[in-house]
Amino acid sequence: PRLKVEYKDTEQAHLCLAVRGIPLLHPDRYALDLLNVILGEGMSSRLFQEIREKHCLAYDIHSYVNYFRDAGSLVIGAGVDPKQLSRTISAILEQLRLIKKGITRDELQKVKDMTKGRLLLRLEDSRSVAGFLAAQELLTNRVLVIEEVVAAIDSVKEEDILKQADNLLVSSRLNMAVVGPLKNGGDLKDLLFL
């Protein structure tokens, strides 16, 4: 695990916890997308419900995936009270441990429906459709029609998501950056294990 702490005189500490992910054309891309939605996309995500709603540790907590041609990342971001930073990091890591233990069938169906719904809603105007098609042509040299993307999302199984969690969510892959009113972050590195 790697840690970078930068002092800045701010009210909140902003953290970014990330792991190296998979590239754009990886066959498990849609499984990672769904893992990310379960973890931290939206108000029904595990991180939002646990970190914000249940424990009131952060106002903003979310996750997202980056895909590039040869690399990628899964990133969790949060803004927290500096006094609650260690507790928040521990709570985030606990959610990563829990997601590796499994997801429910209902949870999987909800994230599939949400992901497909978002995709379809985003493609309701000509500009978005053009962007969707152009990005595929430029980055992949293969254009998937919307039905193929929906089918790919529907084909993801629980074990596909858990495989991504097992492969990516491991202690040696953890990287964290924190910006805020912290003189040093030596004790934070001790928290970075799964």
Side-chain angles (χ1 to χ4, degrees):
R2 295 187 301 172
L3 172 69
K4 172 70 174 168
V5 176
E6 184 155 327
Y7 177 83
K8 189 167 186 176
D9 188 17
T10 56
E11 284 185 27
Q12 286 192 326
H14 297 275
L15 72 92
C16 202
L17 178 67
V19 294
R20 290 182 194 100
I22 56 177
L24 179 65
L25 298 177
H26 196 284
D28 293 328
R29 177 201 171 150
Y30 295 104
L32 182 56
D33 284 339
L34 295 179
L35 170 67
N36 174 61
V37 174
I38 293 167
L39 189 60
E41 255 193 42
M43 294 170 57
S44 61
S45 69
R46 289 184 179 194
L47 288 173
F48 191 93
Q49 287 300 310
E50 284 294 314
I51 307 302
R52 179 184 156 137
E53 297 297 303
K54 185 174 179 184
H55 297 293
C56 302
L57 292 170
Y59 179 74
D60 176 39
I61 180 123
H62 58 276
S63 68
Y64 57 92
V65 181
N66 290 312
Y67 293 109
F68 305 105
R69 282 185 161 218
D70 60 348
S73 61
L74 171 62
V75 182
I76 299 167
V80 304
D81 179 339
K83 295 179 197 121
Q84 298 293 335
L85 184 61
S86 293
R87 188 171 166 217
T88 303
I89 293 166
S90 294
I92 290 169
L93 292 168
E94 179 60 20
Q95 288 306 307
L96 298 183
R97 288 182 202 100
L98 287 173
I99 207 162
K100 291 172 70 168
K101 292 183 178 179
I103 59 175
T104 66
R105 182 175 288 132
D106 287 345
E107 191 174 29
L108 178 57
Q109 191 58 53
K110 278 183 190 177
V111 299
K112 284 181 178 183
D113 292 343
M114 188 170 96
T115 302
K116 293 181 296 186
R118 280 183 183 170
L119 176 63
L120 295 171
L121 285 173
R122 278 197 310 249
L123 296 176
E124 286 195 347
D125 65 75
S126 302
R127 184 177 184 181
S128 296
V129 172
F132 174 76
L133 297 172
Q136 289 186 77
E137 178 65 31
L138 291 170
L139 298 173
T140 68
N141 292 324
R142 181 173 188 275
V143 177
L144 298 175
V145 295
I146 195 67
E147 292 80 11
E148 290 175 293
V149 176
V150 168
I153 292 166
D154 280 334
S155 72
V156 175
K157 297 177 181 63
E158 178 186 358
E159 53 267 23
D160 301 326
I161 294 172
L162 296 180
K163 176 184 160 195
Q164 286 305 299
D166 285 339
N167 289 342
L168 301 178
L169 304 177
V170 294
S171 297
S172 61
R173 287 179 163 260
L174 294 175
N175 300 282
M176 187 168 64
V178 181
V179 176
L182 307 163
K183 296 296 181 190
N184 69 44
D187 58 331
L188 297 178
K189 189 164 187 175
D190 296 337
L191 299 174
L192 293 179
F193 68 90
L194 289 171

